[in-house]
C-alpha cells in the first residue's frame, strides 16, 4: 500500500471523545520505549508525525492519525485510522495515574466499534515480559484481534535474530493454542514496513467487505 498522506487528527482523554468510527482502525500498543512512535513514523514515512517523547507516560491520551484520508475534494475510500496509545508498565508513573490509564485504554479497546486490529509491540531484545504476556492474555479473553510486532531488530546480532522468535513462541504456546501473526520490524532500517502495510491493506479490504 502506498501512503499518500498521513495527518494527526486529535488526542482524546476519553474514548467518548474519539473521532467517529468511520474507518478501520489500528491501535499501536506496548510498553514505554518499545518503539511505537518510531514505528508509526516509519510506516507513514514521516519523521515527526508521532512525537518521540522524552517523558514516557506523561501524556495519557488516545492519539488518532488519519492515513490516506484526504483526497480533495472528497474523503478517500481507503482511509484508515492509526492510533498511538501510551504504553503500560511505566515505572515512573504514579500508581493512581497508571490505574486510570489502564481503565481508559481498556474501555477504548473493548468499546471501539471500528477497531480492526491491535498492533502489540514487543522489543525483540528482551525475553517475554510478564506484563506483555498478561496484556495479550487479556486481549484474548476479550476477543480482541491482535498481531505481534517485534521492534528494533537492527539491534540484534545474527544469532540473537535467529533465537528471539522461537523463544517467544515457546512462551506463547504455554498459554495459546497457536501463536498470533508475527511481524519483525526495524524503524531504523525499514524492515517489516512492506509486510505490515500489506497486512493493513488486506485487513482494510475485509473490513469494507462487511
Ligand atoms: N535502533 C533502533 N532504535 C529504535 C527503533 N525504534 C525505536 N528506537 C529508539 O527507541 C527509543 C524509544 O522510541 P519511541 O518510538 O519513542 O518509543 P515509544 O514506544 O513511542 O515510547 P513512549 O511513547 O514513551 O511509550 C528512541 O530512542 C528511538 O530512537 C528501532 O527500530 N531501532
Ligand atoms: Mg511514543
Amino acid at each position: 500500500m502506498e501512503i499518500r498522506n498521513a495527518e494527526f487528527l486529535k488526542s482524546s482523554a476519553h474514548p467518548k471523545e474519539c473521532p467517529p468510527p468511520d474507518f478501520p482502525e489500528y491501535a499501536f500498543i506496548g510498553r514505554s520505549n518499545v518503539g511505537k512512535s518510531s514505528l508509526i513514523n516509519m510506516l507513514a514515512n514521516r519523521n515527526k508525525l508521532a512525537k518521540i517523547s522524552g517523558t514516557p507516560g506523561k501524556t495519557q491520551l488516545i492519539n488518532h492519525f488519519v492515513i490516506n484520508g484526504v483526497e480533495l475534494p472528497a474523503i478517500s475510500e481507503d482511509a484508515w485510522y492509526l492510533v498511538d496509545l501510551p504504553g503500560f508498565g511505566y515505572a515512573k508513573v504514579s500508581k493512581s495515574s497508571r490505574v486510570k490509564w489502564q481503565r481508559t485504554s481498556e474501555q477504548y479497546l473493548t468499546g471501539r466499534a471500528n477497531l480492526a486490529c491491535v498492533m502489540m509491540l514487543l522489543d525483540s531484545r528482551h525475553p517475554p515480559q510478564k506484563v506483555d504476556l498478561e496484556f495479550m492474555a487479556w486481549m484474548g479473553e476479550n476477543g480482541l484481534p491482535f498481531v505481534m510486532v517485534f521492534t528494533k531488530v537492527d539491534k540484534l546480532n545474527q544469532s540473537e535474530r535467529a533465537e528471539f522468535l522461537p523463544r517467544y513462541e515457546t512462551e506463547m504456546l504455554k498459554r495459546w493454542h497457536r501463536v498470533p501473526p508475527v511481524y519483525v520490524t526495524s524503524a531504523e532500517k525499514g524492515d517489516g514496513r512492506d509486510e505490515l502495510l500489506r497486512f493493513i491493506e488486506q485487513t482494510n479490504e475485509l473490513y469494507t467487505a462487511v
Side-chain angles (χ1 to χ4, degrees):
M1 170 174 34
E2 192 200 338
I3 305 288
R4 296 185 307 277
N5 48 61
E7 298 296 334
F8 169 72
L9 185 62
K10 76 177 285 196
S11 294
S12 313
H14 192 275
K16 278 193 294 224
E17 297 160 20
C18 285
D22 294 341
F23 309 118
E25 182 157 313
Y26 299 83
F28 286 62
I29 198 158
R31 281 177 299 123
S32 172
N33 205 48
V34 69
K36 294 179 293 296
S37 304
S38 304
L39 182 70
I40 288 168
N41 291 339
M42 182 270 258
L43 289 177
N45 222 345
R46 286 266 304 273
N47 267 340
K48 291 178 186 158
L49 185 64
K51 274 188 222 127
I52 317 253
S53 98
T55 13
K58 203 177 169 202
T59 37
Q60 304 200 320
L61 297 168
I62 305 162
N63 302 298
H64 274 81
F65 300 84
V66 190
I67 312 294
N68 293 345
V70 204
E71 213 84 274
L72 293 171
I75 300 277
S76 80
E77 280 181 14
D78 61 348
W80 50 282
Y81 284 134
L82 190 161
V83 170
D84 191 5
L85 288 173
F88 44 83
Y90 300 111
K92 286 186 187 154
V93 175
S94 73
K95 186 156 184 238
S96 64
S97 113
R98 204 155 54 215
V99 168
K100 180 169 171 284
W101 171 246
Q102 193 178 338
R103 203 176 305 131
T104 308
S105 59
E106 287 180 3
Q107 273 173 15
Y108 158 75
L109 290 168
T110 53
R112 189 74 173 152
N114 58 331
L115 187 65
C117 191
V118 178
M119 306 297 193
M120 175 72 202
L121 269 62
L122 301 157
D123 192 324
S124 59
R125 297 171 301 172
H126 304 319
Q129 309 277 303
K130 191 164 172 262
V131 62
D132 291 328
L133 295 168
E134 285 176 357
F135 188 75
M136 289 189 276
W138 176 83
M139 287 196 284
E141 284 158 18
N142 285 275
L144 293 169
F146 69 94
V147 296
M148 297 161 81
V149 179
F150 289 94
T151 61
K152 307 189 187 185
V153 277
D154 59 283
K155 292 202 176 195
L156 303 184
N157 65 33
Q158 224 173 355
S159 64
E160 289 167 334
R161 214 175 159 126
E163 284 160 12
F164 81 92
L165 253 186
R167 185 175 58 188
Y168 236 100
E169 284 171 355
T170 306
E171 194 60 43
M172 289 298 284
L173 289 171
K174 290 181 188 165
R175 295 170 182 245
W176 298 78
H177 294 300
R178 61 183 177 85
V179 181
V182 166
Y183 294 89
V184 175
T185 70
S186 161
E188 196 81 19
K189 304 270 184 242
D191 297 35
R193 183 173 189 271
D194 293 348
E195 291 81 358
L196 257 186
L197 288 179
R198 197 173 312 128
F199 166 72
I200 290 171
E201 186 172 29
Q202 286 168 352
T203 309
N204 283 348
E205 279 165 16
L206 291 177
Y207 183 90
T208 39
V210 289

